Amino acid sequence: MEAILAAAANIFEPSTLLVLMIGTVVGLFVGALPGLSSTMGVALCIPITFGMDPANALVLLGAIYTSSVFGGSITAILLRTPGTDASIATTFDGYPMAQRGEGAQAIGMALVASLVGGVFSVFVLLFVAPPLSRLALLFGPQEYVYLTIFGMISILGVSGGNPTKAFISAAFGLLLATVGFDLFTGYPRLTFGQDELFEGVPLLPALIGIFSVSQAISLCTGEADIGAGNMIKTKGRTLPAWSVIRRCGRTLFKSSLIGSAIGILPGAGTSVAAFISYDEARRRSKTPEAFGKGEIEGVAAPEAANNAVTGGSLVPALTLGIPGNAVTAVFIGGLTIHGLVPGPRLFTDHAEIVYTLIFSLFLANLAFAALGLFAAPWVARVVKVPSAVLGPTIIVFSIIGSYALRNSLFDVWLVLGFGVLGYFMERWRIPGAPLVIALVLGPILETNLRRSLQISGGDWMIFFTSPLSYAIMALIVLTLAYPVFARRQKNRREANES
Amino acid sequence: MKRDTWVAVAVMAIAAFAAWDVYDLKRGAAFFPLLMSAALFLGGAVLFVASLRRPAPAADAAPEGSDTEEAKSIWVPLLEVVVLTAVFAVAMPWIGFYPATFLYLAVFFALRSELSRLTGLAVAVAMTVLIFVIFSLLLAVPTPVGPLAAYL
Amino acid sequence: MHLKSSLAALAFAASSLAIFVSPSYAEYPEKPVEMIVPYGAGGSTDVLARLIAEYGEKYLGQPMVVVNRPGAGGQIGFSAIAAAKPDGYTIGWINSGILTSPIVRPDVTFNIDSFDYIANIVTDPGILAVAGTADYATLEDFLKAAKEKKLTVSHEGIGGGDHLAVLQLENEADVEFNLVAFNGDAEAKAALLGGHIDAIEGNVSEQVELVEDGQVKPLVVWASKRNADLPDTPTGKELGYNILASSSRGLGGPKGMDEDVVSKLREAMVKVTEDADFQADLKKLNMPLDVLVGDEYRAFMQEQDEGYKKLWAESPWQ
């Protein structure tokens, strides 16, 4: 309790608040620019924290982390160019809204949802971190296999009306995911002698290529003219009306829960949480057909989920020293520099600093919400910039961002290659999202599947042994069966009425 | 043949090629890629059959006009964009990232936008400076400098 | 007169040419020194590199710029260091990967002789550990149990230092483990604590915190002397196993750097490692300082190289 009070006093120091604001602004930029990931934003700022006191350093890193996740949504909505994989799902309904001239409203919803998800996960971190991290350990390799399969099901939800093509896209993504050095045998696979492919197809160039560069090419050729013909409603309110928020209440809550839960599991990933939440919202909606065409609930779901991951992923990181994802892995590096070794004793030995971090995450959520609210109507005007200016600028950003990840020219060509691929996939109506989700989930699926079999000595029965496996299996079956069930019930109700 | 038929053939070819490439690896390593190639091939086959069975014009051309005509009108600007960008990527390591960015944007605006020559140049300069401020000053990301810039 | 002035001009030209041809090393370093990190930003080598960069500027007199060149398990970065111009303005981080990669992949463009060795900074010994709740108290207990029932041991990928250490243990103790690969220590630790595997082969610094908390029990440290953080844990040699495993991180440059330049870099690194603040920072990071300069560093790498070549000849791991 004393620690909590001391932390509250820490956080309202003027210098801390200043650091918080700086971190929030940097995070928004990092998230919004294609090619700069949350991971990179945090990594680049670690040297800056060398000279700071530990509390401020954590506040800076925490603020960058939370606000970069939101920052990616802004460009995802307005330009259909997600800055990180966390906001791919946001493009599905956010971009159609922006095309209708409701960009500011979509950002407003994203903002509310991010705030709800972020704050929810901070509370999770604050109150139930240690017991939850114990629970996460129960997930063995076989449970991860089921979990990734569950994530894959969400691909069905983004099939864009052509399941065959979505399947092809996903299968291609899974095939690409096998490229590189095989962890279990040491053989390079499908690398065609390219050393740069030894560690697999890097996710970010693929993602930026398929989403950002392909969209930029369409802008350049004049096909996708976002602003044309649309009077941007600058008058419209940014914040969604209370009734809209109420309508999305269930979705917001459920997505926050999903996001926090997935965040806690090491290695599961932010985009997975966003996709599962989006799919869940669509399935439970009274008007599932409106999803993908600019349904505001379709913005709320992934946004609440991806920000809820932030607090969740810090649970195992802080309590066990086991990072939930790449960003928190870097985050741990930043912590240790300040003598805060994550692990079971962090909460007892350095309680004051841990609570300062948690409060700062809370404040960072408020800070990006305030900044976003102020900036949204202005930022939304970016769609008024002529496409022929926007297009090449996005390409330049994508190129330098991809280059900077590994200082590799190979990745520049990779991003351009994926850009052209994404462009043609778009024209041939093959959805790009399944490919990218598969690229994220593929390695998790393969390593855990083979790891399970290594542990069991090749016995496939390992997948039918633990109650937890059965629980996730049941969840998969329920999710798959739900649409059939719902349709039958609807038919029955209609039969009764007539 | 219809577009989807071509796509299906390409997909099956990629799947077959990948399977051929990994086939002689140790079983454990080859298992997953082979499985995925099979899945991809299957997807291609289903699409192939579906594209043949559907009545010719209705399916492909339905909502957004005939694809072949559309494709022709888009071919020239697409090639322009791709070639210009490829030249940019080739030039970048030689003349440095920022000069290349400026030239790319300036040429692009001159060729493809409705901006006047002077406005185009001004916007190109402004964008290059903006990118420099964000990437080099604020984030200190290393960018390709190039032997040319090294002399300066 | 005429002749005299032309001679003077010639002399001047010659002298200025000389300046061009042989850069005056007395002035090294006159521009920032690039430090290649063959791994991604935020990893442990990267964190160490950024710490060295922070202190290095003070003692070298020029900023040290960290450039991440990850890929192919470090091979891309190692190749870049080996192929750099040996002018002292490009150096980088090397580890046992420069030894094992050429063994497995004869086509890589570097080997132990491609580098000038500046200084080793950190050596993190290997460790075999089990969960705190496990029944085995010693390595002998563990090996006895392993002979009755195949036990599962994690490592971090085929051909890595920890994988090779377990292979050596299998050979020397005549047991066979069920070896399972993990991507890094985080996933392996989660699996150990969750009871999904029996033991973990990793590095001391990654385990210390959990050991102190009683969640992980160390069985053996693969070092020549006991570890300061784990004074009660025996070394492999004490238990009769001639196995040395560690993950070391040091600085090297391309072969052929001028002797003056190398000694300046060595001097600066020694001063950094003697800095009390640097030592304190390193301690916080749980990175054990192990300074080996020049030939000492080279000999250390050579000894490991011989061990790996022997293991490869006896039981190739790939």
Side-chain angles (χ1 to χ4, degrees):
Chain A
M1 198 59 217
E2 260 172 62
I4 295 183
L5 289 177
N10 270 348
I11 194 85
F12 288 109
E13 290 271 327
S15 70
T16 310
L17 287 177
L18 182 72
V19 167
L20 182 79
M21 285 321 278
I22 293 172
T24 307
V25 173
V26 171
L28 283 175
F29 266 105
V30 164
L33 296 176
L36 288 177
S37 60
S38 307
T39 315
M40 213 175 150
V42 174
L44 288 174
C45 285
I46 282 181
I48 302 175
T49 69
F50 282 156
M52 293 182 170
D53 76 82
N56 279 352
L58 288 190
V59 170
L60 180 72
L61 298 182
I64 292 171
Y65 183 16
T66 36
S67 66
S68 64
V69 174
F70 170 68
S73 318
I74 300 174
T75 43
I77 289 169
L78 295 176
L79 303 172
R80 218 204 66 160
T81 59
T84 64
D85 63 328
S87 27
I88 298 172
T90 311
T91 60
F92 298 155
D93 283 284
Y95 183 59
M97 281 184 76
Q99 281 180 308
R100 279 208 306 259
E102 297 167 15
Q105 282 74 4
I107 295 180
M109 190 65 209
L111 207 143
V112 170
S114 300
L115 182 63
V116 171
V119 170
F120 182 91
S121 75
V122 170
F123 278 112
V124 168
L125 183 60
L126 187 56
F127 292 116
V128 280
L132 275 184
S133 60
R134 288 271 134 213
L135 210 63
L137 291 180
L138 292 179
F139 276 72
Q142 62 272 37
E143 280 83 15
Y144 274 97
V145 170
Y146 284 114
L147 196 70
T148 34
I149 293 175
F150 188 49
M152 299 261 178
I153 293 177
S154 68
I155 297 180
L156 293 176
V158 295
S159 62
N162 190 333
T164 310
K165 288 185 177 174
F167 178 81
I168 289 177
S169 175
F172 187 55
L174 285 172
L175 187 61
L176 283 181
T178 65
V179 170
F181 175 82
D182 176 33
L183 185 69
F184 298 92
T185 61
Y187 285 106
R189 303 181 298 190
L190 296 170
T191 58
F192 307 108
Q194 296 292 324
D195 273 350
E196 285 86 348
L197 285 175
F198 216 70
E199 280 167 2
V201 176
L203 177 66
L204 255 105
L207 162 80
I208 299 164
I210 287 193
F211 287 97
S212 303
V213 175
S214 75
Q215 173 74 355
I217 294 175
S218 300
L219 285 170
C220 291
T221 57
E223 288 160 88
D225 211 355
I226 325 170
N230 282 320
M231 283 304 293
I232 303 301
K233 292 183 210 157
T234 36
K235 272 188 300 185
R237 279 155 43 106
T238 303
L239 275 185
W242 181 238
S243 61
V244 177
I245 301 182
R246 276 249 309 265
R247 181 163 68 85
C248 298
R250 262 178 76 93
T251 297
L252 286 175
F253 176 71
K254 212 192 289 169
S255 305
S256 304
L257 204 63
I258 295 173
S260 302
I262 299 228
I264 291 169
L265 297 170
T270 316
S271 48
V272 180
F275 279 114
I276 291 181
S277 305
Y278 178 84
D279 197 42
E280 184 64 25
R282 186 185 58 90
R283 199 175 296 111
R284 293 302 170 101
S285 164
K286 289 195 189 84
T287 54
E289 64 280 358
F291 277 70
K293 298 185 188 112
E295 164 64 52
I296 199 159
E297 216 174 329
V299 176
E303 279 305 303
N306 66 22
N307 270 76
V309 169
T310 53
S313 63
L314 284 170
V315 169
L318 295 180
T319 55
L320 297 170
I322 294 168
N325 54 26
V327 197
T328 40
V330 175
F331 209 96
I332 286 184
L335 280 173
T336 41
I337 285 184
H338 292 281
L340 306 164
V341 180
R345 295 201 330 243
L346 188 65
F347 271 79
T348 46
D349 292 3
H350 301 283
E352 183 186 329
I353 290 182
V354 173
Y355 287 118
T356 308
L357 169 65
I358 295 178
F359 286 153
S360 76
L361 289 178
F362 182 78
L363 279 188
N365 275 292
L366 292 179
F368 78 64
L371 264 172
L373 188 61
F374 169 76
W378 303 98
V379 178
R381 291 181 195 200
V382 73
V383 296
K384 283 187 169 173
V385 175
S387 303
V389 174
L390 217 46
T393 311
I394 294 175
I395 291 182
V396 170
F397 272 113
S398 303
I399 284 179
I400 190 60
S402 313
Y403 174 83
L405 283 172
R406 304 201 290 181
N407 291 304
S408 152
L409 285 169
F410 183 83
D411 290 359
V412 169
W413 290 104
L414 211 55
V415 82
L416 294 179
F418 272 107
V420 173
L421 177 73
Y423 173 84
F424 279 108
M425 283 172 67
E426 176 91 17
R427 291 184 57 79
W428 298 334
R429 309 207 208 314
I430 302 174
L435 193 159
V436 178
I437 306 174
L439 200 54
V440 176
L441 290 178
I444 309 178
L445 180 67
E446 185 188 2
T447 46
N448 282 295
L449 184 92
R450 291 174 63 194
R451 193 174 288 152
S452 304
L453 290 172
Q454 271 194 337
I455 288 176
S456 74
D459 184 359
W460 285 80
M461 283 312 287
I462 190 172
F463 295 107
F464 305 97
T465 45
S466 82
L468 201 56
S469 299
Y470 287 125
I472 312 176
M473 224 186 294
L475 216 55
I476 293 171
V477 173
L478 276 178
T479 313
L480 283 174
Y482 183 79
V484 184
F485 175 73
R487 203 179 306 135
R488 186 178 297 169
Q489 213 165 33
K490 200 175 159 198
N491 288 346
R492 193 177 302 157
R493 209 179 302 130
E494 277 163 8
N496 283 348
E497 276 163 13
S498 61
Chain B
M1 263 205 294
K2 275 165 300 180
R3 188 194 52 198
D4 273 1
T5 317
W6 284 112
V7 172
V9 170
V11 164
M12 286 188 284
I14 292 173
F17 178 69
W20 171 77
D21 191 70
V22 295
Y23 188 74
D24 49 359
L25 286 179
K26 222 158 117 184
R27 292 318 287 171
F31 170 62
F32 232 75
L34 279 180
L35 195 68
M36 293 314 143
S37 315
L40 188 60
F41 193 88
L42 185 78
V46 170
L47 185 67
F48 185 77
V49 173
S51 71
L52 290 183
R53 271 176 42 187
R54 243 174 297 162
D60 277 18
E64 269 141 89
S66 157
D67 289 297
T68 39
E69 275 178 47
E70 196 188 33
K72 261 174 214 152
S73 70
I74 216 71
W75 209 229
V76 174
L78 177 68
L79 212 64
E80 231 173 74
V81 172
V82 170
V83 168
L84 212 57
T85 308
V87 169
F88 169 53
V90 170
M92 184 173 81
W94 295 102
I95 62 173
F97 172 68
Y98 293 109
T101 298
F102 167 72
L103 288 176
Y104 175 67
L105 292 178
V107 172
F108 203 99
F109 294 157
L111 282 180
R112 297 215 45 86
S113 81
E114 284 151 15
L115 301 178
S116 74
R117 191 148 294 173
L118 206 64
T119 328
L121 277 179
V123 175
V125 169
M127 284 295 179
T128 311
V129 170
L130 180 75
I131 293 170
F132 176 75
V133 169
I134 293 177
F135 282 90
S136 286
L137 292 188
L138 292 180
L139 297 168
V141 172
T143 57
V145 180
L148 200 76
Y151 280 110
L152 301 177
Chain C
M1 197 62 197
H2 198 79
L3 186 76
K4 208 173 167 189
S5 68
S6 8
L7 270 178
L10 205 66
F12 177 75
S15 65
S16 57
L17 204 67
I19 290 173
F20 260 99
V21 170
S22 62
S24 46
Y25 285 112
E27 283 170 33
Y28 174 88
E30 52 188 2
K31 61 178 189 183
V33 173
E34 199 175 280
M35 191 158 58
I36 293 176
V37 173
Y39 301 95
S44 57
T45 308
D46 182 64
V47 170
L48 178 62
R50 288 176 197 275
L51 200 63
I52 288 279
E54 162 105 347
Y55 286 93
E57 180 169 358
K58 191 157 82 185
Y59 298 109
L60 194 63
Q62 282 287 343
M64 301 182 85
V65 185
V66 174
V67 178
N68 299 90
R69 294 292 301 273
Q75 286 177 25
I76 290 185
F78 300 144
S79 308
I81 299 167
K85 208 163 128 195
D87 57 3
Y89 291 107
T90 308
I91 58 174
W93 290 85
I94 51 182
N95 62 24
S96 61
I98 63 165
L99 312 174
T100 49
S101 293
I103 295 180
V104 179
R105 296 188 67 192
D107 57 327
V108 294
T109 53
F110 55 83
N111 60 36
I112 186 168
D113 296 320
S114 312
F115 302 93
D116 271 342
Y117 295 82
I118 298 168
N120 186 58
I121 308 290
V122 161
T123 303
D124 196 354
I127 185 175
L128 182 72
V130 293
T133 51
D135 298 331
Y136 339 102
T138 64
L139 183 64
E140 285 321 299
D141 293 352
F142 181 75
L143 291 175
K144 213 162 94 191
K147 279 178 182 156
E148 281 155 22
K149 173 178 163 272
K150 215 168 184 185
L151 294 178
T152 309
V153 180
S154 78
H155 64 85
E156 290 170 27
I158 301 282
D162 41 339
H163 176 232
L164 301 185
V166 195
L167 284 185
Q168 281 173 300
L169 180 64
E170 277 188 329
N171 275 358
E172 292 208 11
D174 195 26
V175 289
E176 206 175 316
F177 298 119
N178 190 6
L179 297 180
V180 180
F182 280 82
N183 311 309
D185 67 299
E187 283 184 23
K189 273 194 280 190
L192 182 73
L193 296 183
H196 306 287
I197 55 173
D198 297 309
I200 188 170
E201 172 66 42
N203 293 107
V204 169
S205 73
E206 300 153 0
Q207 306 296 335
V208 167
E209 194 72 5
L210 289 168
V211 169
E212 283 172 5
D213 198 54
Q215 304 209 41
V216 163
K217 241 188 314 195
L219 297 180
V220 61
V221 172
W222 305 121
S224 42
K225 56 178 191 285
R226 288 206 176 196
N227 190 273
D229 289 321
L230 303 170
D232 300 327
T233 310
T235 65
K237 287 202 170 140
E238 285 175 45
L239 299 174
Y241 300 101
N242 191 18
I243 300 170
L244 285 178
S246 65
S247 109
S248 66
R249 299 178 201 108
L251 276 167
K255 186 97 192 165
M257 289 194 293
D258 195 275
E259 199 44 52
D260 290 346
V261 171
V262 180
S263 60
K264 271 212 171 121
L265 284 164
R266 281 179 188 151
E267 220 171 278
M269 285 308 115
V270 169
K271 278 186 190 147
V272 169
T273 53
E274 282 164 355
D275 188 307
D277 289 337
F278 173 79
Q279 289 183 352
D281 281 345
L282 212 56
K283 187 140 190 66
K284 287 185 206 156
L285 287 168
N286 257 339
M287 290 181 182
L289 188 65
D290 179 29
V291 185
L292 300 170
V293 185
D295 288 341
E296 241 184 330
Y297 184 22
R298 196 191 150 80
F300 167 73
M301 295 302 273
Q302 238 155 7
E303 194 187 335
Q304 284 183 63
D305 193 40
E306 279 153 22
Y308 290 143
K309 280 186 177 139
K310 184 165 161 265
L311 184 68
W312 177 257
E314 283 166 9
S315 51
W317 54 85
Q318 189 172 309

